[in-house]
Amino acid sequence: MADIVSSEEEIKEVQEQLVTPWEVEAKDGGKIDYNKLIKEFGCQKVEPEMVARVEKLTGKPAHPFLRRGVFFAHREFDKILDAFEKGDKFYLYTGRGPSSESLHFGHLVPFMFTKYLQDAFKVPLVIQLTDDEKFLWKNIKLEETRRLARENAKDIIACGFDINRTFIFSDFDYVGGEFYRNMVRIAKCVTLNQVKSIFGFVNEDHIGKVMFPPVQAAPSFPTSFPQIFGDEKKSKKIRCLIPCAIDQDPYFRMTRDVAPRIGFQKPALIESLFFPALQGESGKMSASNPNSAIYVTDTPKQIKLKVNKYAFSGGRDTAEEQRQFGANIEVDVSIKYLSFFENDDEELERIKQEYKTGKLLTGEVKKLLIDVLTKMVEGHRQARAAVTEEMVDAFMAVRPLPGMFD
Ligand code: TRP
């Protein structure tokens, strides 16, 4: 179990700054230490040479999320690039736990990046909606999680995925057949002790939680999708790349450990930072506080109000002081958000420089951010309005994906 955190010492370290799929907490309310997280989890850093290699192989500029270190960690992404270079096939797998009616910008980050990867590498994609996970973990009725899954599918489709290369599925509807056979193979390789140490489960937890990890692991194996990849002989060699936020790493540590024991390749991962809450960078956004995030359904008025009122500022208290001393852009949330969503590198650099040196005031930077977010929300609103029930059915239909590698 080389990949899995298991020694007591390591567990203690992880507990100082807690990152599990359900909880993200920095030490003493400070910032998440991502370098430490990489070390503890045992992933690799995405280095600039890797980004350059992606650009070379795809013939396209790298996504800003890759250039700017938002997707900062990986496991065997280099092997995916090797495979692609040789003409070997791979597919993408990502997912969403449907726990809320609408998505916020933090939720959109992995999907925006996955869309870029799908376009750049021209590969098939499976998207898992873990309605079962949210039923098990949250206080939501089962039927409600199914409804939310469908609603969330519309927001995901609005990100622009190619219907000829994308399969979206709800666990409640899709689990069975080859997918279930893989789940059971996986489950047989993982002990109760291991899931307790990987996920922090305790004896009082219900067994639904213990049962779930194989559900999220199974899409990492191509034979879980025979309608897409064909029978076992044809599909087993196809590699899987999982773009996700780094809190999902425990699931895939488990999956990678099991994979060779049941005759599969380990899935590769490319993992992102957490998207900070408006109030600052101590963790990820909380669904229970609507003022901690900008939602894709927020009106321009709400966006303006939230940014102006809540976005943590690294600027000085008065305009005079700001002009004289400049802002601390390391802690400034508007700058953080602009680093995610201002696509123009030069413009971003200009804003940072001028804010740092006091030429720009907090209010002016916030205004720039409000403009960027308002445009994005408006674009998303239009794209989502164009998603019909028939389109959702089409993306979610169990079917081959014609031209998936063209
Ligand atoms: N557990 C994830 C969540 O709660 C959903 C998910 C399922 C996922 N499979 C995934 C996320 C693969 C990233 C990659 O949101």
Side-chain angles (χ1 to χ4, degrees):
M1 307 284 307
D3 263 0
I4 291 179
V5 171
S6 53
S7 82
E8 257 178 50
E9 209 174 274
E10 277 175 297
I11 292 168
K12 224 169 95 213
E13 272 223 0
V14 172
Q15 277 167 352
E16 277 185 20
Q17 104 175 334
L18 185 73
V19 176
T20 72
W22 310 282
E23 231 176 315
V24 176
E25 216 176 279
K27 208 174 139 195
D28 307 325
K31 279 193 189 183
I32 299 282
D33 182 340
Y34 286 108
N35 284 325
K36 204 162 153 202
L37 207 57
I38 285 191
K39 234 177 80 208
E40 282 158 7
F41 282 3
C43 357
Q44 259 71 53
K45 241 187 161 141
V46 172
E47 304 288 356
E49 301 79 63
M50 199 166 221
V51 178
R53 192 171 171 216
V54 169
E55 294 194 323
K56 198 167 149 238
L57 286 173
T58 60
K60 288 193 170 78
H63 193 281
F65 292 168
L66 197 56
R67 292 203 303 269
R68 298 180 189 160
V70 171
F71 280 77
F72 73 109
H74 77 96
R75 291 176 187 271
E76 291 190 326
F77 184 50
D78 47 332
K79 294 236 172 101
I80 292 287
L81 297 179
D82 292 344
F84 184 77
E85 192 162 32
K86 279 197 306 197
D88 290 348
K89 299 187 173 12
F90 77 92
Y91 71 100
L92 295 163
Y93 157 40
T94 192
R96 148 124 190 112
S99 58
S100 63
E101 190 83 35
S102 61
L103 276 58
H104 57 54
F105 276 97
H107 296 136
L108 282 189
V109 163
F111 290 108
M112 292 168 69
F113 189 62
T114 303
K115 147 97 179 126
Y116 149 77
L117 290 173
Q118 180 178 59
D119 290 348
F121 289 98
K122 302 197 166 37
V123 285
L125 160 68
V126 297
I127 300 176
Q128 177 177 46
L129 302 172
T130 53
D131 35 17
D132 50 351
E133 180 189 18
K134 294 303 150 181
F135 172 70
L136 290 167
W137 263 269
K138 304 251 166 171
N139 189 14
I140 310 180
K141 291 222 166 68
L142 195 148
E143 277 314 316
E144 178 67 358
T145 64
R146 298 189 62 201
R147 187 185 70 78
L148 291 175
R150 224 183 134 83
E151 284 309 302
N152 287 183
K154 292 176 190 165
D155 280 306
I156 294 169
I157 293 167
C159 292
F161 293 106
D162 176 354
I163 188 147
N164 291 318
R165 294 199 190 107
T166 308
F167 173 49
I168 304 178
F169 64 97
S170 122
D171 286 340
F172 280 135
D173 292 337
Y174 185 68
V175 171
E178 290 299 328
F179 191 103
Y180 184 59
R181 289 192 266 281
N182 280 339
M183 274 175 53
V184 173
R185 288 185 182 109
I186 296 159
K188 198 175 177 181
C189 293
V190 186
T191 67
L192 188 53
N193 271 329
Q194 285 167 339
V195 284
K196 280 162 96 175
S197 115
I198 301 166
F199 298 101
F201 297 155
V202 294
N203 285 349
E204 288 67 32
D205 278 325
H206 59 68
I207 63 172
K209 292 188 180 180
V210 177
M211 175 279 303
F212 178 75
V215 184
Q216 185 154 332
S220 315
F221 302 140
T223 61
S224 297
F225 307 97
Q227 74 281 8
I228 299 175
F229 300 115
D231 64 19
E232 193 176 307
K233 254 179 53 207
K234 264 173 68 188
S235 69
K236 231 174 174 170
K237 287 279 156 282
I238 301 176
R239 281 184 162 271
C240 175
L241 171 64
I242 306 170
C244 60
I246 195 158
D247 62 338
Q248 300 298 306
D249 192 77
Y251 283 118
F252 302 117
R253 259 184 343 252
M254 183 195 84
T255 311
R256 285 169 52 83
D257 184 71
V258 167
R261 295 157 65 192
I262 55 175
F264 288 109
Q265 313 208 54
K266 295 182 180 194
L269 292 146
I270 182 143
E271 303 178 307
S272 73
L273 311 169
F274 304 119
F275 189 74
L278 278 171
Q279 285 78 358
E281 240 200 315
S282 55
K284 62 175 185 178
M285 287 175 292
S286 135
S288 54
N289 178 4
N291 287 329
S292 71
I294 309 281
Y295 286 83
V296 296
T297 44
D298 283 350
T299 61
K301 227 173 121 188
Q302 281 171 312
I303 296 174
K304 193 169 163 194
L305 187 115
K306 282 188 186 178
V307 171
N308 281 333
K309 187 157 176 198
Y310 299 109
F312 186 81
S313 167
R316 303 281 169 166
D317 287 345
T318 64
E320 291 79 62
E321 279 178 23
Q322 171 65 14
R323 295 269 183 239
Q324 197 177 348
F325 303 112
N328 176 359
I329 63 169
E330 293 307 314
V331 299
D332 190 277
V333 168
S334 302
I335 290 291
K336 280 267 137 63
Y337 279 29
L338 283 166
S339 324
F340 276 77
F341 300 127
E342 170 53 67
N343 285 335
D344 183 335
D345 289 344
E346 279 171 29
E347 171 69 354
L348 178 65
E349 220 24 65
R350 180 190 70 84
I351 297 168
K352 279 179 160 175
Q353 274 312 318
E354 295 190 356
Y355 191 32
K356 206 161 94 179
T357 55
K359 205 167 164 197
L360 281 173
L361 302 176
T362 296
E364 294 167 323
V365 174
K366 287 194 171 187
K367 169 99 183 26
L368 291 167
L369 175 64
I370 290 165
D371 288 348
V372 169
L373 294 180
T374 306
K375 269 198 206 106
M376 284 179 70
V377 164
E378 179 52 23
H380 187 86
R381 199 189 55 73
Q382 284 180 15
R384 194 191 197 273
V387 178
T388 61
E389 294 298 331
E390 291 71 39
M391 277 164 80
V392 178
D393 290 338
F395 271 96
M396 297 186 75
V398 178
R399 67 201 195 280
L401 297 175
M404 60 183 173
F405 288 117
D406 296 351

PDB file of all heavy atoms in Angstrom, residues 87-101:
ATOM      1  N   GLY A  87       0.538   7.932 -29.761  1.00  0.00           N
ATOM      2  CA  GLY A  87      -0.716   7.628 -30.450  1.00  0.00           C
ATOM      3  C   GLY A  87      -1.597   6.646 -29.684  1.00  0.00           C
ATOM      4  O   GLY A  87      -2.588   6.153 -30.216  1.00  0.00           O
ATOM      5  N   ASP A  88      -1.221   6.341 -28.417  1.00  0.00           N
ATOM      6  CA  ASP A  88      -2.089   5.487 -27.596  1.00  0.00           C
ATOM      7  C   ASP A  88      -3.255   6.315 -27.051  1.00  0.00           C
ATOM      8  O   ASP A  88      -3.139   7.510 -26.863  1.00  0.00           O
ATOM      9  CB  ASP A  88      -1.302   4.891 -26.421  1.00  0.00           C
ATOM     10  CG  ASP A  88      -0.289   3.861 -26.887  1.00  0.00           C
ATOM     11  OD1 ASP A  88      -0.369   3.452 -28.074  1.00  0.00           O
ATOM     12  OD2 ASP A  88       0.590   3.485 -26.087  1.00  0.00           O
ATOM     13  N   LYS A  89      -4.338   5.613 -26.766  1.00  0.00           N
ATOM     14  CA  LYS A  89      -5.547   6.340 -26.394  1.00  0.00           C
ATOM     15  C   LYS A  89      -5.687   6.530 -24.882  1.00  0.00           C
ATOM     16  O   LYS A  89      -5.212   5.719 -24.100  1.00  0.00           O
ATOM     17  CB  LYS A  89      -6.757   5.573 -26.916  1.00  0.00           C
ATOM     18  CG  LYS A  89      -6.741   5.432 -28.427  1.00  0.00           C
ATOM     19  CD  LYS A  89      -8.008   4.829 -28.937  1.00  0.00           C
ATOM     20  CE  LYS A  89      -8.084   4.830 -30.448  1.00  0.00           C
ATOM     21  NZ  LYS A  89      -6.871   5.140 -31.182  1.00  0.00           N
ATOM     22  N   PHE A  90      -6.344   7.612 -24.519  1.00  0.00           N
ATOM     23  CA  PHE A  90      -6.760   7.782 -23.126  1.00  0.00           C
ATOM     24  C   PHE A  90      -8.113   8.467 -23.087  1.00  0.00           C
ATOM     25  O   PHE A  90      -8.575   8.999 -24.094  1.00  0.00           O
ATOM     26  CB  PHE A  90      -5.705   8.548 -22.320  1.00  0.00           C
ATOM     27  CG  PHE A  90      -5.655  10.036 -22.539  1.00  0.00           C
ATOM     28  CD1 PHE A  90      -6.383  10.907 -21.738  1.00  0.00           C
ATOM     29  CD2 PHE A  90      -4.854  10.593 -23.552  1.00  0.00           C
ATOM     30  CE1 PHE A  90      -6.329  12.285 -21.929  1.00  0.00           C
ATOM     31  CE2 PHE A  90      -4.793  11.977 -23.742  1.00  0.00           C
ATOM     32  CZ  PHE A  90      -5.542  12.815 -22.925  1.00  0.00           C
ATOM     33  N   TYR A  91      -8.771   8.390 -21.935  1.00  0.00           N
ATOM     34  CA  TYR A  91     -10.041   9.115 -21.778  1.00  0.00           C
ATOM     35  C   TYR A  91     -10.011   9.918 -20.490  1.00  0.00           C
ATOM     36  O   TYR A  91      -9.150   9.705 -19.622  1.00  0.00           O
ATOM     37  CB  TYR A  91     -11.245   8.157 -21.811  1.00  0.00           C
ATOM     38  CG  TYR A  91     -11.409   7.258 -20.604  1.00  0.00           C
ATOM     39  CD1 TYR A  91     -12.322   7.568 -19.592  1.00  0.00           C
ATOM     40  CD2 TYR A  91     -10.658   6.087 -20.470  1.00  0.00           C
ATOM     41  CE1 TYR A  91     -12.491   6.737 -18.487  1.00  0.00           C
ATOM     42  CE2 TYR A  91     -10.817   5.253 -19.367  1.00  0.00           C
ATOM     43  CZ  TYR A  91     -11.731   5.582 -18.376  1.00  0.00           C
ATOM     44  OH  TYR A  91     -11.889   4.765 -17.286  1.00  0.00           O
ATOM     45  N   LEU A  92     -10.947  10.860 -20.391  1.00  0.00           N
ATOM     46  CA  LEU A  92     -11.043  11.721 -19.219  1.00  0.00           C
ATOM     47  C   LEU A  92     -12.209  11.271 -18.352  1.00  0.00           C
ATOM     48  O   LEU A  92     -13.237  10.825 -18.865  1.00  0.00           O
ATOM     49  CB  LEU A  92     -11.293  13.178 -19.645  1.00  0.00           C
ATOM     50  CG  LEU A  92     -10.192  13.866 -20.434  1.00  0.00           C
ATOM     51  CD1 LEU A  92     -10.747  15.118 -21.139  1.00  0.00           C
ATOM     52  CD2 LEU A  92      -9.054  14.262 -19.500  1.00  0.00           C
ATOM     53  N   TYR A  93     -12.025  11.405 -17.043  1.00  0.00           N
ATOM     54  CA  TYR A  93     -13.108  11.099 -16.102  1.00  0.00           C
ATOM     55  C   TYR A  93     -13.143  12.183 -15.047  1.00  0.00           C
ATOM     56  O   TYR A  93     -12.130  12.506 -14.433  1.00  0.00           O
ATOM     57  CB  TYR A  93     -12.859   9.715 -15.481  1.00  0.00           C
ATOM     58  CG  TYR A  93     -13.525   9.477 -14.136  1.00  0.00           C
ATOM     59  CD1 TYR A  93     -14.821   9.926 -13.877  1.00  0.00           C
ATOM     60  CD2 TYR A  93     -12.863   8.788 -13.115  1.00  0.00           C
ATOM     61  CE1 TYR A  93     -15.420   9.708 -12.645  1.00  0.00           C
ATOM     62  CE2 TYR A  93     -13.461   8.563 -11.880  1.00  0.00           C
ATOM     63  CZ  TYR A  93     -14.746   9.041 -11.650  1.00  0.00           C
ATOM     64  OH  TYR A  93     -15.334   8.839 -10.428  1.00  0.00           O
ATOM     65  N   THR A  94     -14.314  12.808 -14.860  1.00  0.00           N
ATOM     66  CA  THR A  94     -14.473  13.726 -13.743  1.00  0.00           C
ATOM     67  C   THR A  94     -15.881  13.577 -13.197  1.00  0.00           C
ATOM     68  O   THR A  94     -16.648  12.726 -13.666  1.00  0.00           O
ATOM     69  CB  THR A  94     -14.126  15.183 -14.128  1.00  0.00           C
ATOM     70  OG1 THR A  94     -14.043  15.970 -12.944  1.00  0.00           O
ATOM     71  CG2 THR A  94     -15.150  15.794 -15.070  1.00  0.00           C
ATOM     72  N   GLY A  95     -16.238  14.361 -12.193  1.00  0.00           N
ATOM     73  CA  GLY A  95     -17.566  14.168 -11.612  1.00  0.00           C
ATOM     74  C   GLY A  95     -18.002  15.316 -10.748  1.00  0.00           C
ATOM     75  O   GLY A  95     -17.262  16.287 -10.528  1.00  0.00           O
ATOM     76  N   ARG A  96     -19.243  15.158 -10.260  1.00  0.00           N
ATOM     77  CA  ARG A  96     -19.795  16.192  -9.371  1.00  0.00           C
ATOM     78  C   ARG A  96     -20.799  15.541  -8.433  1.00  0.00           C
ATOM     79  O   ARG A  96     -21.609  14.706  -8.861  1.00  0.00           O
ATOM     80  CB  ARG A  96     -20.462  17.256 -10.234  1.00  0.00           C
ATOM     81  CG  ARG A  96     -21.661  17.915  -9.600  1.00  0.00           C
ATOM     82  CD  ARG A  96     -21.552  19.428  -9.524  1.00  0.00           C
ATOM     83  NE  ARG A  96     -22.639  19.960  -8.688  1.00  0.00           N
ATOM     84  CZ  ARG A  96     -22.468  20.526  -7.499  1.00  0.00           C
ATOM     85  NH1 ARG A  96     -21.264  20.685  -7.013  1.00  0.00           N
ATOM     86  NH2 ARG A  96     -23.501  20.966  -6.798  1.00  0.00           N
ATOM     87  N   GLY A  97     -20.718  15.927  -7.186  1.00  0.00           N
ATOM     88  CA  GLY A  97     -21.712  15.486  -6.218  1.00  0.00           C
ATOM     89  C   GLY A  97     -22.845  16.497  -6.197  1.00  0.00           C
ATOM     90  O   GLY A  97     -22.633  17.636  -5.807  1.00  0.00           O
ATOM     91  N   PRO A  98     -24.032  16.112  -6.656  1.00  0.00           N
ATOM     92  CA  PRO A  98     -25.126  17.094  -6.779  1.00  0.00           C
ATOM     93  C   PRO A  98     -25.770  17.397  -5.434  1.00  0.00           C
ATOM     94  O   PRO A  98     -26.749  16.763  -5.062  1.00  0.00           O
ATOM     95  CB  PRO A  98     -26.126  16.418  -7.728  1.00  0.00           C
ATOM     96  CG  PRO A  98     -25.877  14.962  -7.563  1.00  0.00           C
ATOM     97  CD  PRO A  98     -24.440  14.785  -7.139  1.00  0.00           C
ATOM     98  N   SER A  99     -25.227  18.384  -4.734  1.00  0.00           N
ATOM     99  CA  SER A  99     -25.758  18.698  -3.407  1.00  0.00           C
ATOM    100  C   SER A  99     -26.447  20.053  -3.390  1.00  0.00           C
ATOM    101  O   SER A  99     -27.047  20.431  -2.390  1.00  0.00           O
ATOM    102  CB  SER A  99     -24.632  18.677  -2.379  1.00  0.00           C
ATOM    103  OG  SER A  99     -23.639  19.592  -2.751  1.00  0.00           O
ATOM    104  N   SER A 100     -26.351  20.810  -4.463  1.00  0.00           N
ATOM    105  CA  SER A 100     -27.023  22.110  -4.474  1.00  0.00           C
ATOM    106  C   SER A 100     -27.674  22.352  -5.829  1.00  0.00           C
ATOM    107  O   SER A 100     -27.285  21.764  -6.837  1.00  0.00           O
ATOM    108  CB  SER A 100     -26.016  23.224  -4.180  1.00  0.00           C
ATOM    109  OG  SER A 100     -25.041  23.272  -5.202  1.00  0.00           O
ATOM    110  N   GLU A 101     -28.643  23.243  -5.805  1.00  0.00           N
ATOM    111  CA  GLU A 101     -29.432  23.556  -7.000  1.00  0.00           C
ATOM    112  C   GLU A 101     -28.551  24.127  -8.114  1.00  0.00           C
ATOM    113  O   GLU A 101     -28.630  23.734  -9.258  1.00  0.00           O
ATOM    114  CB  GLU A 101     -30.504  24.583  -6.611  1.00  0.00           C
ATOM    115  CG  GLU A 101     -31.537  24.841  -7.668  1.00  0.00           C
ATOM    116  CD  GLU A 101     -32.645  23.787  -7.654  1.00  0.00           C
ATOM    117  OE1 GLU A 101     -32.997  23.314  -6.560  1.00  0.00           O
ATOM    118  OE2 GLU A 101     -33.135  23.453  -8.733  1.00  0.00           O
TER     119      GLU A 101
END
